Amino acid sequence: MLETLFSSTVSASTTELTLSGALLTILVSIILGGIISLTYMKTNQNGFSQSFTLTMVLLPVIVAIIILLIGSNIARAFSLAGAFSIIRFRSAPGDPKDIAYVLFTMAAGLAVGTGYFGYAVLFTLILCLLMFLLNRFNFGTRKTMQRTLKVTIPENLGYEEAFNEVFHKFGVQYDLKKIRTTELGSLYELIYLVTMKQETNQKEFLDSIRCRNGNLDLSLTMSPTPANEY
């Protein structure tokens, strides 16, 4: 019985497309696409777009329909490849997680289109459960964050060890990337690449820096500056 559940509903010797088979394929594809889309929305903490979630619902249906129409007909397969070669997709590389979900939905549609409904449901449930578990345990989350710290100090303050005590107090790792003079040489601007823990109080950290530099200009950039821009 278990083997029957996971066997293909499409016979290798039959290429005729039936209405009931097509409707069942479309219905299963929509359900699996909806499950995958809901999993994406629940596990994506950075927000998501409605267009992408709708695409994940439709993509398994589109792939399944294509597989149904092609069947085992080689001529149709080459014709379809020629038609799709005309299409050009121009978009910036996306998030690797989004790309994985696109491949996920395509695989589900492919399994449904070939008639393996049982395997399609099984694979979908396993991968969705895996995504929930990875998200629940924050798998791959960084414990630290990198920032670019720019500090202006007077010329009479030694920049080599000016803020060592503050860095050590807050457990901040630092790398002095650039030094330049401003205001006709009366001031120095120091640029650090700092690595701090997520729980570090950034306001208290900046207040301690201000006490050392005489309340001169100070900035902490959320995204670290690329190395070639220092």
Side-chain angles (χ1 to χ4, degrees), residues 40-213:
Y40 175 81
M41 289 188 288
K42 294 294 184 182
T43 58
N44 195 350
Q45 301 174 349
N46 298 325
F48 49 86
S49 65
Q50 183 184 20
S51 60
F52 187 72
T53 55
L54 292 176
T55 300
M56 284 191 292
V57 176
L58 296 176
L59 193 56
V61 184
I62 296 172
V63 173
I65 291 174
I66 292 174
I67 297 301
L68 280 179
L69 294 177
I70 292 177
S72 58
N73 192 311
I74 299 178
R76 291 181 189 173
F78 279 106
S79 299
L80 186 66
F84 275 102
S85 67
I86 302 174
I87 303 174
R88 296 290 184 268
F89 297 96
R90 292 184 175 89
S91 60
D95 188 336
K97 183 179 179 181
D98 294 349
I99 297 174
Y101 268 98
V102 170
L103 295 176
F104 185 9
T105 55
M106 292 180 64
L110 181 62
V112 175
T114 52
Y116 290 100
F117 296 156
Y119 283 114
V121 173
L122 179 64
F123 295 156
T124 299
L125 293 179
I126 290 176
L127 289 179
C128 287
L129 177 61
L130 177 62
M131 292 306 298
F132 272 112
L133 291 175
L134 294 177
N135 181 72
R136 172 65 179 82
F137 293 103
N138 294 322
F139 181 80
T141 302
R142 297 184 60 177
K143 303 298 182 182
T144 59
M145 51 187 176
Q146 286 190 331
R147 300 287 186 262
T148 299
L149 176 65
K150 295 183 180 181
V151 188
T152 302
I153 62 173
E155 61 177 346
N156 59 355
L157 181 64
Y159 56 80
E160 294 90 348
E161 300 178 356
F163 305 104
N164 288 2
E165 184 178 345
V166 177
F167 291 142
H168 292 152
K169 176 183 177 181
F170 289 89
V172 174
Q173 300 178 7
Y174 63 96
D175 184 15
L176 183 58
K177 290 293 186 180
K178 184 177 180 180
I179 306 168
R180 71 185 186 93
T181 60
T182 60
E183 301 295 333
L184 300 177
S186 61
L187 300 175
Y188 285 104
E189 183 183 70
L190 312 180
I191 301 179
Y192 292 92
L193 178 63
V194 296
T195 304
M196 58 181 64
K197 299 178 181 178
Q198 295 284 353
E199 60 270 16
T200 301
N201 190 316
Q202 297 185 22
K203 183 180 183 305
E204 293 183 1
F205 172 67
L206 293 179
D207 288 341
S208 299
I209 295 290
R210 289 171 54 209
C211 292
R212 290 298 182 94
N213 78 331

Side-chain angles (χ1 to χ4, degrees), residues 146-148 193 221-226 230:
Q146 286 190 331
R147 300 287 186 262
T148 299
L193 178 63
T221 306
M222 295 299 104
S223 300
T225 306
Y230 283 113

Side-chain angles (χ1 to χ4, degrees), residues 17-39:
L17 180 62
T18 63
L19 178 60
S20 59
L23 291 177
L24 180 61
T25 298
I26 293 174
L27 179 61
V28 175
S29 300
I30 292 175
I31 294 174
L32 295 183
I35 294 174
I36 296 171
S37 183
L38 286 174
T39 302

